[in-house]
Amino acid sequence: MDEQQLTILMNRHTAKLFRIAYYYSKNLHTAEDIVQDVFIKFYEKNIELDADAIERYLIVMTSNKSKDYLKSWHYQKLVLQEKWLHRAGRKMQDAFIIKDEEEMISEAVLSLPIKQREVVAYYYLEGYSIAELSEILRLNENTAKSRLVKGRNLLREKLSSIEWEVLKNDTL
């Protein structure tokens, strides 16, 4: 694989891989780093695959790299610092952003446990079928379905108390 082919691959797959990395890391800069590392590793391995296999391979690489990040000392330190700053009352949140309905849904999805978050993200946000996401995540289809059901139920609980202005006033 030459640099021109890599550039074409990057243009075609970066947005999707970035979203996947963000679903795991919840951080824009970390997601960018993860995607960059995935493309570097893919380039170094110099694997020849067909177009569909390349996309799935890159998704699995991104998923694995993201999971490795969540296990890392750096991430654990950030989580600890965030909890400490939150308790100290130093973390301010913008009230307008919190009230935005899309932001609330995103926050609810990102607050799901990782097993449910990844299935919900692949199914609803990326449009993969149960069979496809079970293959990507290397899960039994029934396990993927049960995680999806649990994720939906958790989202329903988190979002049920919110009064939806857009949905309430929708005249379609």
Side-chain angles (χ1 to χ4, degrees):
M1 172 179 290
D2 63 9
E3 290 181 22
Q4 185 179 13
Q5 291 172 320
L6 179 65
T7 303
I8 292 168
L9 274 177
M10 289 174 68
N11 289 336
R12 186 174 298 147
H13 299 290
T14 297
K16 181 177 281 197
L17 298 180
F18 176 78
R19 287 191 306 270
I20 291 169
Y22 183 76
Y23 298 149
Y24 286 98
S25 68
K26 304 179 192 176
N27 184 295
L28 296 174
H29 299 292
T30 302
E32 289 172 351
D33 290 344
I34 289 169
V35 172
Q36 182 179 7
D37 288 347
V38 165
F39 280 117
I40 289 170
K41 295 259 190 262
F42 184 77
Y43 181 74
E44 289 173 350
K45 287 185 179 189
N46 198 18
I47 299 172
E48 294 296 325
L49 300 169
D50 62 44
D52 290 337
I54 287 176
E55 180 178 8
R56 291 186 192 275
Y57 188 81
L58 289 171
I59 289 170
V60 170
M61 284 181 70
T62 304
S63 177
N64 290 338
K65 186 81 173 158
S66 299
K67 289 176 184 177
D68 289 344
Y69 170 74
L70 295 177
K71 295 175 191 173
S72 72
W73 176 85
H74 177 71
Y75 175 74
Q76 299 301 326
K77 182 180 173 186
L78 285 175
V79 168
L80 184 63
Q81 287 176 342
E82 192 173 289
K83 285 181 181 177
W84 174 258
L85 290 175
H86 185 66
R87 276 191 221 140
R90 295 181 196 159
K91 185 176 180 181
M92 299 296 292
Q93 296 181 350
D94 186 353
F96 293 113
I97 294 175
I98 293 172
K99 290 181 182 178
D100 181 36
E101 292 175 359
E102 287 183 6
E103 185 69 25
M104 285 187 277
I105 293 170
S106 295
E107 287 176 15
V109 170
L110 292 174
S111 71
L112 290 173
I114 190 71
K115 289 180 180 181
Q116 286 75 35
R117 183 183 337 140
E118 65 187 356
V119 174
V120 167
Y122 285 124
Y123 187 78
Y124 287 108
L125 304 175
E126 294 301 324
Y128 287 107
S129 68
I130 298 287
E132 291 171 326
L133 70 88
S134 65
E135 181 184 326
I136 290 168
L137 297 173
R138 297 184 185 126
L139 297 172
N140 181 307
E141 282 190 35
N142 290 329
T143 302
K145 286 178 189 176
S146 66
R147 287 183 183 180
L148 185 60
V149 168
K150 185 172 183 179
R152 272 188 244 166
N153 290 338
L154 289 171
L155 281 174
R156 189 175 295 120
E157 289 173 18
K158 290 174 189 258
L159 299 173
S160 65
S161 63
I162 299 171
E163 190 151 327
W164 299 96
E165 293 179 30
V166 172
L167 296 176
K168 187 171 124 181
N169 297 326
D170 194 4
T171 59
L172 291 178

